[in-house]
Amino acid sequence: EPEVTQTPSHQVTQMGQEVILRCVPISNHLYFYWYRQILGQKVEFLVSFYNNEISEKSEIFDDQFSVERPDGSNFTLKIRSTKLEDSAMYFCASTGGQISNQPQHFGDGTRLSIL
Amino acid sequence: QQPVQSPQAVILREGEDAVINCSSSKALYSVHWYRQKHGEAPIFLMILLKGGEQKGHDKISASFNEKKQQSSLYLTASQLSYSGTYFCGTESRPGNTPLVFGKGTRLSVIA
């Protein structure tokens, strides 16, 4: 069964450094999302992407964050100048097709640890 | 506004049943249910769309009461593998919009 893949599985970075989290969504999907989950808390929406542009973003997704789909398969989340509070599990999700309200399939996540 | 889930946690013995509720103060178009095991990705269980339908998946089923803006997840004859945190994610309009998740219900099934 097709799945969303994320790399790396774990990233440890010094505060102030930039990180890029990578995702390969399911190949025929058209809608892509980034969510994050701080340890022990709920999953929070960051940004959604459709038709090569951001369709929605949350208050969390400030100027520190950016997303890109540099080619036909990868979907990346860049965090500039990381802060301690950016430590969390970051999930990429995708859903697809023209039919509305389809399941969002999540990748296994990248655990980001900021030191 | 995030949906409210109840209970926050529940412990069951194998074979017992449980109900997990998800309520919103906002009009809902759909409710998505996920199960997450510790350190893993949320796994999709089912979607309930506006219309009050009930869905089933093995011994797990769910309903959606759009008038009450509430969905319930029913776990029947629980198995050890049902242990995990159950999240509901809601959409207030059609169109593959971002999900707003509740805080989760931690379910522990013991032998």
Side-chain angles (χ1 to χ4, degrees), chain A residues 31 33 35 37 39 41-43 45 48 56 89 91 95-97 99-109 111, chain B residues 2 29-30 32 34 36 38-42 44 47 49 87 91 93-104:
Chain A
Y31 297 82
Y33 312 83
Y35 293 87
Q37 186 178 34
L39 187 63
Q41 298 186 25
K42 68 183 174 89
V43 178
F45 166 68
S48 59
E56 288 189 54
M89 195 76 160
F91 291 107
T95 191
I99 301 172
S100 202
N101 304 96
Q102 293 297 295
Q104 292 185 19
H105 296 275
F106 283 71
D108 285 339
R111 181 173 299 284
Chain B
Q2 70 179 40
Y29 186 82
S30 70
H32 302 224
Y34 288 82
Q36 184 181 34
H38 184 69
E40 298 180 10
F44 170 76
I47 287 181
L49 297 179
F87 291 97
E91 290 179 286
R93 61 187 191 280
N96 293 317
T97 58
L99 296 175
V100 180
F101 285 94
K103 290 186 176 180

Side-chain angles (χ1 to χ4, degrees), chain B residues 58-99:
Chain B
D58 197 9
K59 290 178 180 163
I60 300 175
S61 61
S63 63
F64 178 26
N65 185 325
E66 65 188 84
K67 289 182 182 176
K68 291 185 178 180
Q69 308 307 329
Q70 182 177 6
S71 178
S72 296
L73 186 72
Y74 307 94
L75 300 147
T76 307
S78 58
Q79 305 165 17
L80 294 175
S81 61
Y82 286 5
S83 293
T85 300
Y86 289 77
F87 291 97
C88 66
T90 60
E91 290 179 286
S92 55
R93 61 187 191 280
N96 293 317
T97 58
L99 296 175

Side-chain angles (χ1 to χ4, degrees), chain A residues 4-76:
Chain A
V4 176
T5 56
Q6 290 185 243
T7 54
S9 56
H10 191 187
Q11 174 83 44
V12 182
T13 301
Q14 292 289 330
M15 187 171 59
Q17 297 296 305
E18 175 182 286
V19 293
I20 297 176
L21 310 183
R22 291 184 167 79
C23 169
V24 179
I26 295 173
S27 62
N28 62 344
H29 282 184
L30 301 176
Y31 297 82
F32 315 118
Y33 312 83
W34 283 102
Y35 293 87
R36 79 171 185 193
Q37 186 178 34
I38 294 170
L39 187 63
Q41 298 186 25
K42 68 183 174 89
V43 178
E44 300 175 290
F45 166 68
L46 293 177
V47 65
S48 59
F49 196 85
Y50 171 70
N51 202 24
N52 286 319
E53 61 183 22
I54 291 174
S55 47
E56 288 189 54
K57 58 183 180 179
S58 71
E59 291 175 353
I60 303 168
F61 193 88
D62 59 21
D63 292 343
Q64 182 195 8
F65 294 89
S66 61
V67 288
E68 249 190 349
R69 187 157 161 83
D71 53 42
S73 59
N74 291 286
F75 179 50
T76 62

